Amino acid sequence: MVLQRFFCPESSCARRTFAEQMPGLTRRHSRWTERLRSTLAAVGLALAGRAGARMARAFGVSISRSAVLRLIDALPEPTVPAPQVVGVDEYATRKGRVYGTVLVDVETRRPVDLLPDREASSLAAWLAKRPGIEIVCRDRAPFFAKGATAGAPQATQVADRWHLWHNLGEAAERAVARHRQCLRVLLPDREAKAEAPAPPEEMANSPWRSERFANRVRARHATVHALLEAGHSRRSIGRQLQMTHRTVKSLADAAKPEDLFHGQWQHNRTSVLDEYKPYLDERWDEGCTNAWKL
């Protein structure tokens, strides 16, 4: 196909040349073909401005991020079919203060519209303009229920899957907590627990909750004291065993490993709750698992 170019012989004419345009290939005052323009617009839709410009340079096309954004802005608005199953939920522009309403096409899983508030009147007005809506999927918010009833009386209102599972989980947790005492018959008797075989003497006298931790501390304590008796300084012991000066000092100053236990490893330390533990155990078995109530 040959494109024609015309010249104006009139010297007073501001347009000296007239070039013929080919629809679908070029456009006036454009440096790109339509195919390249659509490719750059697709890159901009996927990566936005700055990243899209970097990707275009990898293709050998020099373009700025602002030009990429202008290509996206020049695209026509996509035609969105009227949804038949719409999901309604809230979104926050400022959490705890400013909320709006988001409407999603459940079948395509794409957002359809955003309302500036979460009033029932706004939702009812939006639904009234779309009489083809058959199902409204919402949570238990009263303003959404009122708006859906007023704006789409022909639609069926259902709860979405997330809220169904969430509500089911809360109901199951309340039911189990309420009937916790019914499970006591399935547990072994406390007296049977008390008749369990006693641990060895060494473990019974151990001040630590974890015997593995106790054995490790005993081994380190014995190693440090053996090196001290051999004439090594604390600094050299720390270099050999890769310990800090504070760790070597605590091990060296302790006459026996049992002097080192403290904190979470001390299972037999006293507590202000000791005299109340029988009552707390009884209330817990009855189903009261709320710490504030206890």
Side-chain angles (χ1 to χ4, degrees), residues 25-85:
L25 179 63
T26 60
R27 69 172 62 183
R28 295 181 61 187
H29 308 295
S30 177
R31 297 182 299 159
W32 306 307
T33 62
E34 290 298 307
R35 184 176 180 181
L36 179 58
R37 177 184 291 270
S38 63
T39 301
L40 294 175
V43 171
L45 286 174
L47 302 176
R50 196 180 301 275
R54 290 198 298 265
M55 179 61 71
R57 284 195 290 271
F59 297 157
V61 181
S62 178
I63 186 174
S64 66
R65 60 185 179 90
S66 300
V68 175
L69 295 178
R70 284 196 296 270
L71 287 176
I72 298 175
D73 188 59
L75 293 175
E77 291 290 336
T79 57
V80 180
Q84 296 181 349
V85 183

Side-chain angles (χ1 to χ4, degrees), residues 8 15-16 20 42 72 125 130 135 199 204 239 254 257 276 291:
C8 180
R15 297 283 301 276
R16 302 304 300 272
E20 182 182 7
I72 298 175
R130 297 159 179 82
I135 299 176
R239 287 196 299 265
Y276 305 106

Side-chain angles (χ1 to χ4, degrees), residues 86-90 101-104 123 136-139 144 160:
V86 63
V88 183
D89 207 344
E90 61 185 13
T101 302
V102 57
L103 298 115
V104 181
L123 177 60
V136 176
C137 186
R138 60 172 182 84
D139 59 10
F144 288 155
D160 59 82

Side-chain angles (χ1 to χ4, degrees), residues 15 17 34 42 130 159 163 170 179 181 184 199 206 215 242:
R15 297 283 301 276
T17 63
E34 290 298 307
R130 297 159 179 82
H163 284 95
E170 289 184 341
H179 299 87
Q181 61 273 15
R184 297 179 62 181
S206 175
N215 293 333
Q242 296 182 353

